[in-house]
Amino acid sequence: MSYADITERVAEAERAAGRPEGSVHLIAVSKVQPEPRVRAVLEQGHRLYGENRVQEAEERWSALKPDFPDTDLHLVGPLQSNKVRPALELFSTIHSLDRPKLAKAIARIAQEVGHSPNLFIQVNTGEEPQKAGITPDDLDAFVAECRSMDLNIQGLMCLPPVDEEAALHFALLAKLAERNGLKGLSMGMSADFDKAIKFGATHIRVGSAIFGERVKPA
Ligand SMILES: *Cc1c(COP(=O)(O)O)cnc(C)c1O
């Protein structure tokens, strides 16, 4: 797989789903990847990247951003309340809003710094005890709470259980979003992004299929 193969597959899935070309945002998840691999994709013109750790992203992108200043960074991994301030400096969009305490911290710091990030609420569609996210039962109240804080909720995000059919979770997330009047759906990774597009994904988060298997830093 290469970047060009993936963009071709995204276009194909958009056509198959009767969706306008370019309507799906491809987030290239660059976490842990060696810099030359990321630079190669930047040089092919891609400008939307996802990271899962604030500090790792700060280190990587402080080196790359000067060369590619129009890069848009999204946080796709968990966010601790005490990292909200640096996260808001680096990321336009956070896909992992998963608890009331974090919502309150984001609302407060957004006020202080004078700009509010785009947010996706992470939903624990499989109701897995070890996994972060708002449960489907608690979602409507949480969306309302976030809106009352003037948070900029774009949509919902999920990470389906590894041993279940992802399509069921994509369909559930789409239903929950519609019920709450939300347009954004952040779902689908390397193994299943085609399927996610079929179920209405607006943002897919693709790492290893673009960059190759993640290698641990030495
Ligand atoms: C790592 C990661 C991805 C990308 O995973 P791949 O299987 O490499 O495509 C997507 N979403 C989140 C939240 C991740 O942490």
Side-chain angles (χ1 to χ4, degrees):
M1 283 294 158
S2 68
Y3 172 64
D5 295 331
I6 299 301
T7 54
E8 182 47 47
R9 272 176 59 188
V10 170
E12 184 71 34
E14 286 171 337
R15 276 194 295 278
R19 313 217 359 228
E21 189 161 345
S23 55
V24 175
H25 300 274
L26 171 61
I27 303 168
V29 180
S30 47
K31 66 180 184 201
V32 195
Q33 297 286 353
E35 180 173 311
R37 292 186 184 175
V38 181
R39 204 173 265 281
V41 177
L42 280 160
E43 278 162 3
Q44 290 170 79
H46 195 74
R47 290 295 179 270
L48 175 56
Y49 292 83
E51 292 282 351
N52 74 334
R53 301 183 59 170
V54 176
Q55 193 178 338
E56 183 194 332
E58 274 177 331
E59 285 163 18
R60 175 199 296 291
W61 290 97
S62 61
L64 289 172
K65 265 246 169 138
D67 291 344
F68 303 95
D70 54 344
T71 302
D72 184 18
L73 297 178
H74 289 197
L75 181 67
V76 301
L79 178 58
Q80 294 169 288
S81 301
N82 64 0
K83 294 274 173 63
V84 168
R85 193 178 298 274
L88 294 201
E89 275 172 31
L90 198 57
F91 298 105
S92 70
T93 306
I94 294 166
H95 291 245
S96 49
L97 174 52
D98 59 1
R99 57 198 195 276
K101 185 179 175 215
L102 180 60
K104 291 186 185 101
I106 293 173
R108 179 169 54 79
I109 292 169
Q111 275 275 315
E112 281 176 33
V113 300
H115 74 98
S116 202
N118 298 321
L119 297 168
F120 286 80
I121 295 171
Q122 184 171 347
V123 183
N124 189 352
T125 55
E127 305 194 41
E128 297 171 279
Q130 81 286 8
K131 204 172 262 180
I134 306 290
T135 61
D137 281 348
D138 292 338
L139 180 69
D140 297 7
F142 185 65
V143 171
E145 186 183 353
C146 290
R147 285 178 168 148
S148 76
M149 290 186 264
D150 274 337
L151 290 174
N152 194 0
I153 307 295
Q154 301 282 304
L156 305 179
M157 177 273 221
C158 75
L159 282 164
V162 285
D163 55 351
E164 287 181 27
E165 172 52 53
L168 299 173
H169 296 271
F170 297 156
L172 172 60
L173 199 71
K175 191 180 99 182
L176 294 169
E178 182 169 20
R179 185 165 92 197
N180 282 282
L182 294 167
K183 292 206 161 52
L185 286 172
S186 170
M187 58 189 196
M189 319 202 314
S190 290
D192 52 22
F193 67 86
D194 318 78
K195 196 181 284 174
I197 292 171
K198 186 170 156 204
F199 283 88
T202 59
H203 294 67
I204 55 174
R205 310 178 310 267
V206 182
S208 44
I210 293 176
F211 298 106
E213 287 306 312
R214 280 182 282 281
V215 283
K216 292 247 163 67

